[in-house]
Amino acid sequence: MAGKFGLSETEYMIMTYFWDTEREMMVKSVREHFSEKGTLWATQTVKTFLENLVKKGSLTFRKQGHQKMYYAAMDRMSYATLWLKKIVEQNFDNGMDEFILTFSNLKNDLTEAQKEELKKIWDE
């Protein structure tokens, strides 16, 4: 299963943890959380994931003594919005008309509930 928002499955799983908890964490806290869920990572592996997420702009950190306290650079909705803007810029020459036409080709694949939800959003 692939991740979301241009992140790998593991990166998305880590970001979901940060978005859901809405707090800053050290490497140790992230490692312990996923260890409790059955995912056993070495400390260096967690550090690598977190540093990659910093490079992607998903996480940021502040120094607390010798430790880094990591936290989400933005909330989930802001991140999704930024990711979608990048998709439009990179794939549709920043043209919303082409993007919407492409998206509308999916209308037959949407459930009635999804169509109603989109209609409500569009009407706002």
Side-chain angles (χ1 to χ4, degrees):
M1 179 180 177
K4 294 182 181 180
F5 309 136
L7 302 172
S8 72
E9 181 179 351
T10 302
E11 290 170 336
Y12 183 74
M13 187 171 62
I14 292 169
M15 284 309 301
T16 297
Y17 178 50
F18 275 93
W19 287 322
D20 289 349
T21 58
E22 297 180 349
R23 64 184 178 92
E24 58 184 20
M25 291 175 265
M26 293 184 292
V27 171
K28 180 181 177 183
S29 302
V30 175
R31 185 174 178 265
E32 287 173 355
H33 167 78
F34 285 101
S35 179
E36 290 171 7
K37 300 243 178 232
T39 303
L40 304 175
W41 287 321
T43 300
Q44 188 56 49
T45 301
V46 176
K47 283 182 182 178
T48 299
F49 281 129
L50 297 180
E51 288 302 315
N52 287 342
L53 287 164
V54 168
K55 288 176 189 169
K56 289 184 174 189
S58 306
L59 290 178
T60 191
F61 66 89
R62 69 176 179 83
K63 289 267 193 167
Q64 183 174 310
H66 296 294
Q67 298 288 324
K68 288 183 178 178
M69 299 297 291
Y70 293 90
Y71 53 96
M74 61 192 80
D75 64 40
R76 186 186 327 245
M77 183 62 79
S78 298
Y79 195 87
T81 301
L82 181 63
W83 179 75
L84 188 55
K85 283 181 183 178
K86 285 181 184 178
I87 286 176
V88 172
E89 288 171 7
Q90 293 171 356
N91 298 290
F92 301 98
D93 297 324
N94 212 21
M96 287 304 293
D97 54 343
E98 190 176 334
F99 171 74
I100 291 176
L101 284 171
T102 302
F103 185 75
S104 69
N105 286 332
L106 299 174
K107 68 182 175 228
N108 294 331
D109 297 333
L110 299 175
T111 66
E112 287 304 315
Q114 289 170 324
K115 289 177 185 178
E116 281 300 315
E117 187 176 349
L118 282 172
K119 186 176 180 338
K120 285 180 192 174
I121 292 169
W122 188 262
D123 289 343
E124 291 177 2

